[in-house]
């Protein structure tokens, strides 16, 4: 078993090494330049679209644009926002947070492009629901069915054996056991029943729950982080300066921290940033395709705010809490490090409960979101008749997740998650002309709001 784990570790390090990270960030940089820094210039418009009154009434689709965003955020905002940030800073020092910001900045352009394509190439399935995502724009836009099937296969793998089930269920079980003394068996049964009630209702049910839970959990966690920062307000300016300085100078060993070079800060920050917000991996477009909208550009704008919320806001809150309290240089890592930051910044007992509650909500909504992603991938490969068997298998895996050891499963999840990105990024690069043309046409509308097609291409 140790040799298998060593082999998987080597594969994981290769997949998430410089080539993939360069491809992910490079695609984002290219799109940023060709789209005229759209993620910054058009962010106010994107936020107005997210919270505007017009949420798709009378337009084709299954759920509102806000509901589609919340479904994507339910899968994206997860344990990575608590554990992933701590891991990045533990490996790369405070400077890793800066490189998470950079990954998010360029990742917003990538998220915009992939969700634009998802709406443009979506179609209605045999059940009358909208189906879309990388599978569809790889086949219909790029003309590559093998790449589309490969993406769908990797997507099912991540949903079944990776992010969607085992790690999240285990995180919930641990939180309930350690903080509230709830037996793992009880957690497994109750969690499976709740997931069944929500997911068997399909995208409308998942979107309805996500639209209520995601804003609550995000606000709850942000307020908790703000409490830590307010109580350490005098240390915040120095913490921000430390993050920026460490990003370009590395950081020497201090306390339990072993030191980090600039390259390690970049690699750990970018890798954890991409893993947290999933920009370029191809998951969020599956949810975006269900939105009630007649504009692929508008849905792209709405969807890119997911990366902004996930990384620029929530991950930043976690990172600053770790730095201002000084726990980043101690001996703890992962969720234990974040718990310690909250314990020092707020109260020893309250801090532990807040992190546990955060993990519980984050992990639960990730289970819901990835159930839908896997379902759409299953339908693409095997048709609508395969949806019910898929859901039943998913529930069985959720029920068993509380009792499994996760070392090898995390490695498998990481590998398959990285592999998802490869066909998706090929599609984004191959269809860049479509993204740019659609964007130019939308923003060159006349005063009456009618789009004027732009014949220019990239």
């Amino acid at each position: 078993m140790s040799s298998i784990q060593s082999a998987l570790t080597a594969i994981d390090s290769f997949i998430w090494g410089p080539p993939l990270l360069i491809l992910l960030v490079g695609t984002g940089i290219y799109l940023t330049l060709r789209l005229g820094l759209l993620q910054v210039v058009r962010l106010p418009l994107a936020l107005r679209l997210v919270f505007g009154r017009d949420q798709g009434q009378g337009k084709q689709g299954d759920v509102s644009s806000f509901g589609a965003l919340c479904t994507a955020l339910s899968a994206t905002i997860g344990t990575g926002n608590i554990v992933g940030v701590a891991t990045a800073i533990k490996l790369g020092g405070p400077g890793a947070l800066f490189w998470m910001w950079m990954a998010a900045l360029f990742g917003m352009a990538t998220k915009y492009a992939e969700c634009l394509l998802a709406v443009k190439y979506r179609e209605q399935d045999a059940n009358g629901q909208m189906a879309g995502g990388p599978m569809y724009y790889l086949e219909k836009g790029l003309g590559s069915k093998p790449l589309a099937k490969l993406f769908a296969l990797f997507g099912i793998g991540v949903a079944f054996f990776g992010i969607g089930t085992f790690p999240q269920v285990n995180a919930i079980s641990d939180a309930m056991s350690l903080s509230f003394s709830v037996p793992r068996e009880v957690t497994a049964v109750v969690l499976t029943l709740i997931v069944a009630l929500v997911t068997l209702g399909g995208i409308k049910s998942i979107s309805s729950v996500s639209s209520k839970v995601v804003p609550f959990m995000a606000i709850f966690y942000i307020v908790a982080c703000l409490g830590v920062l307010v109580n350490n307000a005098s240390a915040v300016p120095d913490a921000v300066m430390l993050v920026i300085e460490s990003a370009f100078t590395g950081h020497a060993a201090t306390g339990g921290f072993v030191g980090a070079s600039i390259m390690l800060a970049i690699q750990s920050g970018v890798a954890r940033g991409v893993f947290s917000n999933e920009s370029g991996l191809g998951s969020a477009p599956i949810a975006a395709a269900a939105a009630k909208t007649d504009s692929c550009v508008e849905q792209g704008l709405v969807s890119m705010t997911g990366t902004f919320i996930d990384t620029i806001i929530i991950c930043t809150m976690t990172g600053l809490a770790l730095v201002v309290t000084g726990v980043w240089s101690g001996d703890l890592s992962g969720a234990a490090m974040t718990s310690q930051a909250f314990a020092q910044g707020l109260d020893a007992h309250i801090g532990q409960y807040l992190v546990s509650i955060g993990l519980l909500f984050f992990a639960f909504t990730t289970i819901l979101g990835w159930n839908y992603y896997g379902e759409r991938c299953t339908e693409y490969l095997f048709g609508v008749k395969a949806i019910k068997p898929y859901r039943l298998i998913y529930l069985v895996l959720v029920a068993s997740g509380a009792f499994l050891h996760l070392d090898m499963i995390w490695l498998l999840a990481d590998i398959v998650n990285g592999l998802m990105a490869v066909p998706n990024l090929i599609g984004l690069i191959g269809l860049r002309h479509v993204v740019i043309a659609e964007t130019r046409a939308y923003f060159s509308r006349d005063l009456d709001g009618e789009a004027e097609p732009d014949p220019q291409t990239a």
Side-chain angles (χ1 to χ4, degrees):
M1 292 296 291
S2 61
S3 61
I4 295 175
Q5 187 163 339
S6 298
L8 290 175
T9 301
I11 295 171
D12 182 48
S13 298
F14 172 77
I15 290 174
W16 282 101
L20 179 57
L21 295 179
I22 291 170
L23 182 60
L24 278 164
V25 178
T27 302
I29 292 172
Y30 172 83
L31 290 169
T32 295
L33 295 174
R34 292 313 308 264
L35 295 172
L37 205 62
L38 174 139
Q39 67 266 49
V40 176
V41 176
R42 304 296 182 181
L43 183 59
L45 171 61
L47 293 173
R48 288 200 301 272
L49 290 170
V50 171
F51 300 108
R53 292 183 179 180
D54 179 16
Q55 286 295 319
Q57 292 89 344
K59 297 177 182 177
Q60 190 176 29
D62 299 321
V63 298
S64 68
S65 290
F66 180 73
L69 173 64
C70 286
T71 301
L73 280 173
S74 71
T76 304
I77 300 177
T79 54
N81 296 81
I82 295 176
V83 180
V85 178
T87 301
I89 292 178
K90 187 66 178 178
L91 289 173
L97 182 59
F98 176 87
W99 296 110
M100 290 185 78
W101 295 339
M102 292 300 100
L105 173 64
F106 297 118
M108 287 175 70
T110 308
K111 185 71 69 72
Y112 165 81
E114 58 188 355
C115 292
L116 179 155
L117 292 171
V119 173
K120 181 172 179 61
Y121 291 105
R122 66 183 179 177
E123 60 185 40
Q124 200 168 49
D125 66 19
N127 288 335
Q129 292 187 327
M130 300 307 299
M135 307 85 74
Y136 293 87
Y137 57 72
L138 283 169
E139 179 185 346
K140 296 168 64 179
L142 196 65
S144 178
K145 200 160 187 175
L147 279 178
K149 288 185 176 181
L150 200 60
F151 176 88
L153 186 64
F154 291 144
I156 296 171
V158 176
F160 273 171
F161 307 112
I163 297 172
T165 53
F166 301 143
Q168 310 304 329
V169 175
N170 207 267
I172 292 173
S173 300
D174 286 345
M176 294 301 292
S177 176
L178 295 174
S179 298
F180 306 104
S181 301
V182 177
R184 301 180 79 86
E185 294 82 1
V186 174
T187 300
V189 172
V190 173
L191 180 62
T192 304
L193 289 174
I194 295 174
V195 171
L197 287 172
V198 177
T199 58
L200 293 179
I203 180 59
K204 292 184 179 179
S205 177
I206 293 172
S207 171
S208 176
V209 172
S210 297
S211 297
K212 295 177 178 65
V213 175
V214 168
F216 167 77
M217 74 177 190
I219 293 170
F220 167 84
Y221 187 71
I222 289 170
V223 169
C225 288
L226 282 174
V228 176
L229 298 179
V230 168
N231 287 341
N232 295 271
S234 60
V236 172
D238 288 338
V240 174
M241 288 303 300
L242 180 61
V243 167
I244 296 173
E245 290 173 1
S246 298
F248 299 98
T249 61
H251 206 287
T254 175
F257 180 69
V258 296
S261 64
I262 300 174
M263 187 54 64
L264 187 56
I266 294 173
Q267 186 169 352
S268 58
V270 172
R272 289 301 98 187
V274 169
F275 192 82
S276 175
N277 59 56
E278 298 183 13
S279 296
L281 299 190
S283 51
I286 301 174
K292 291 180 180 178
T293 182
D294 54 11
S295 171
C296 58
V297 171
E298 288 186 1
Q299 187 55 43
L301 292 169
V302 169
S303 295
M304 80 176 187
T305 64
T307 298
F308 178 80
I309 294 168
D310 175 89
T311 306
I312 303 297
I313 296 179
I314 297 179
C315 287
T316 296
M317 290 290 187
T318 302
L320 289 178
L322 297 173
V323 177
V324 299
T325 56
V327 300
W328 69 272
S329 61
D331 296 321
L332 298 175
S333 61
M337 183 196 291
T338 309
S339 293
Q340 183 64 22
F342 277 69
Q344 286 184 204
L346 295 172
D347 176 87
H349 297 294
I350 294 175
Q352 177 187 346
Y353 290 134
L354 287 176
V355 172
S356 294
I357 293 170
L359 276 171
L360 193 156
F361 278 110
F362 286 6
F364 172 68
T365 56
T366 300
I367 293 171
L368 299 184
W370 269 98
N371 170 81
Y372 180 68
Y373 292 162
E375 177 183 303
R376 295 291 95 183
C377 290
T378 298
E379 183 199 340
Y380 177 79
L381 288 176
F382 307 110
V384 294
K385 293 181 179 179
I387 290 177
K388 287 186 178 179
Y390 163 83
R391 289 175 179 171
L392 292 175
I393 295 171
Y394 194 85
L395 290 173
V396 170
L397 294 173
V398 168
S400 62
F403 310 103
L404 298 176
H405 296 289
L406 296 182
D407 291 343
M408 290 182 64
I409 289 171
W410 262 117
L411 285 170
L412 285 170
D414 229 13
I415 290 168
V416 183
N417 204 18
L419 290 173
M420 276 179 63
V422 177
N424 183 53
L425 290 170
I426 292 172
L428 292 181
I429 294 169
L431 295 170
R432 65 193 183 279
H433 306 288
V434 176
V435 174
I436 295 167
E438 289 286 349
T439 305
R440 287 175 174 169
Y442 179 84
F443 289 109
S444 65
R445 293 178 305 175
D446 61 20
L447 295 177
D448 294 327
E450 297 297 326
E452 297 175 358
D454 189 333
Q456 292 183 331
T457 55

